[in-house]
Structure formats: structure tokens, C-alpha cells
Amino acid sequence: MATGPSFLNAIIRTPRSASLSKSCSRQLSTTSSLFAKLAKFKGKTMSKGKATKLKAKLQRRKHPGYKQYDLKDAEQFTLCDAMRYIRAFEVGRPPSIPKYECHVKLKTKRDGAVVRNQIRLPHLVKTDIKICVICPPDSPAATQAREAGATTVGEDEVFELIKSGKIDFDRCIAHPDSLPKMQRAGLAKILGPRGLMPNTKLGTIVESPAGAVKGMLGGSMYRERQGVVRMAVGQLRFTPEQLRDNIKAFLDKMKKDAAALSDTTPKEISEVVLSSTNSPGFSLNGEFRSENSPPTKALSGS
């Protein structure tokens, strides 16, 4: 992993110009209108639900961004030191089951666009991904998808499984010819909340599902939730060098995603935290190892 500047300090910044003053004035005017609404209803009966929604909206306007903490006095760790402590929490567990997880905290607006994408890391983390392909069952696309490794392929039968709650897959790809049937089946309300609904922007609605299946096997998806992007970046058996490569690839990809949103929603990386399935999180300082870190060979394998 690169040293501090490329790890935490290479923050994506957006030039602050006249647009900032416009957004501030817009925020103030909106907040004033909300106060006016509250004053209007003062002394009158307002339903509890409406009052709660209005109060929440006012709160969001007063605090448009997520809370940030000053890291100057916080205890932070090198990658190797964080791995040493995390492995202590995972003693006795199979090295292929617990996963290292990377949590990237962003300085961003609450109501802005979110970072969402997928990546194939240099060192595969999850190799048992199950992929569903929605396409005409007797089409060449269906045959190619099965040969590529898709576990569930078809249309009507797949729709029935999804509606019955038997969603035994981790990714979902759709052929454009199947979109009308999907809409009539009402799958969006089932797959959408689970993050499985095929989407053109994510490359999950394609003419050639086989290529997408091959690209997804071993790939990982991530999405920003409440200002934090979280993703598994390694298995416990990984060496520090493998984990470093995966974290760097993840952060580089995230920076590109955030840069693409900078015109509408400026985003900056404020903190990177490493944890595992059963351990607490350790804030990283951007360094690979320190003088007191254990040898890298002691931080891999079982």
C-alpha cells in the first residue's frame, strides 16, 4: 500500500466557486420557509406524522452533511498492525471464512447522489458467487450464460422463484428482451431493496449475459449508505501485500466514482477503517507497516 498521501490524503476535492454561495443561499431560504411552515401551524392541530416529517426535514437542512470527527487525536494504525489485532479476534476460525472489510467514510451531503459500482479486485475474495440471468430460456444467450457459470437461467420459472421468496443468488443480470416481462411481473419491488434489480448503469442489463457473468465471478459490488462505503477486501489467509493491493484498487476505483459525481455532490474521503467479520474496526493511518510491526509472513495463512 502506498504511504499516507495516496491512501488517505489524496482526497477528491471539488473547486469551491460561486455554486457554493448559491447552494448556501438556497439552503437558508429553504430553512426559512420551513420555519414559516412551523410558525403557520403554531397554535393549530397538526398530525403527529406530518409534524415528525417536517421536523426531520428541518433537521436535514440544518445539518446537510454527515457528522465528521477530528482524527488528529484518534489512535490510528498501520495496515500490518491492524491485521495483527484483527487476527487475534479471529483465532480458532477457519482462515477462509472471516473476511477483512474496508469501511470508507465520506465527507458528503445527506441528500446527494451516492457512490455505487462494482469491481474485480486483484485478489479474489468471494469465489462462490451465484448469478441469476433473466433471458429467454431457449435462446443462445441462455445457453452461453449457463456455460459461463450462471446458476439460475430463464424467465417465468425464475419469476416464480423470486416471488415465492426463494432468492438463491448474489447477482442478477437481464437481457433487454426480458425487460417487458420483468416489469409486468413486478420484480422491482422485490429485487430493488436487496440491490439485485438489473440496471443499465451497473452493466447488469446486457445483450451478452455470458460476458457479464464471467466478469462478475469473483467480482464485488459496493454502495454508499449514510456516507459510508463498505466492502469485503480480503480473506483472513491473505498476505499483507495481497490486502494492500485490494484496498488500493478499491480506493482508486472509489475516487473515480466520486470524481464523476463531483459536479452535483462533492465527496471527500475522510477516514478508512479496517475490520473483520468478528472484530472491531481499526482506523488506518495510510502506512503499510511500522518498525514495531510483526513480519509480514506472520500475518498470513492459518
Side-chain angles (χ1 to χ4, degrees), residues 233-247:
V233 292
Q235 298 181 10
L236 200 67
R237 61 179 178 80
F238 277 18
T239 66
E241 290 79 9
Q242 288 176 317
L243 191 60
R244 174 195 61 193
D245 294 343
N246 278 4
I247 293 176

Side-chain angles (χ1 to χ4, degrees), residues 81-103:
D81 288 338
M83 290 179 68
R84 174 177 62 179
Y85 296 126
I86 287 173
R87 287 173 63 86
F89 281 92
E90 301 288 0
V91 169
R93 296 182 175 88
S96 61
I97 295 179
K99 302 289 191 294
Y100 287 111
E101 294 181 349
C102 188
H103 310 251

Side-chain angles (χ1 to χ4, degrees), residues 142-196:
T143 303
Q144 295 168 5
R146 292 188 185 95
E147 292 174 352
T151 56
T152 307
V153 180
E155 285 183 331
D156 294 334
E157 293 182 1
V158 176
F159 298 163
E160 292 302 321
L161 288 174
I162 293 174
K163 288 180 179 179
S164 64
K166 297 179 181 178
I167 303 178
D168 189 24
F169 52 84
D170 305 296
R171 305 283 189 274
C172 186
I173 300 170
H175 191 278
D177 293 345
S178 299
L179 294 182
K181 281 190 174 182
M182 289 181 61
Q183 293 174 354
R184 288 195 296 270
L187 300 186
K189 61 183 179 182
I190 302 174
L191 298 179
R194 293 175 169 83
L196 294 174

Side-chain angles (χ1 to χ4, degrees), residues 244-280:
R244 174 195 61 193
D245 294 343
N246 278 4
I247 293 176
K248 186 177 185 303
F250 176 42
L251 292 179
D252 288 344
K253 180 72 171 176
M254 265 200 59
K255 290 173 184 176
K256 292 179 181 178
D257 296 336
L261 300 173
S262 61
D263 290 340
T264 57
T265 310
K267 294 178 183 290
E268 298 178 5
I269 296 177
S270 62
E271 186 180 14
V272 179
V273 176
L274 187 69
S275 68
S276 72
T277 307
N278 301 287
S279 81

Side-chain angles (χ1 to χ4, degrees), residues 90-168:
E90 301 288 0
V91 169
R93 296 182 175 88
S96 61
I97 295 179
K99 302 289 191 294
Y100 287 111
E101 294 181 349
C102 188
H103 310 251
V104 182
K105 187 172 182 181
L106 301 173
K107 185 178 181 181
T108 182
K109 296 190 295 185
R110 292 177 182 268
D111 299 330
V114 299
V115 171
R116 181 183 180 187
N117 211 332
Q118 59 185 10
I119 183 175
R120 186 179 176 88
L121 294 170
H123 308 284
L124 303 185
V125 179
K126 193 174 182 181
T127 57
D128 57 345
I129 293 176
K130 296 180 180 180
I131 299 176
C132 169
V133 175
I134 299 176
C135 64
D138 299 325
S139 65
T143 303
Q144 295 168 5
R146 292 188 185 95
E147 292 174 352
T151 56
T152 307
V153 180
E155 285 183 331
D156 294 334
E157 293 182 1
V158 176
F159 298 163
E160 292 302 321
L161 288 174
I162 293 174
K163 288 180 179 179
S164 64
K166 297 179 181 178
I167 303 178
D168 189 24

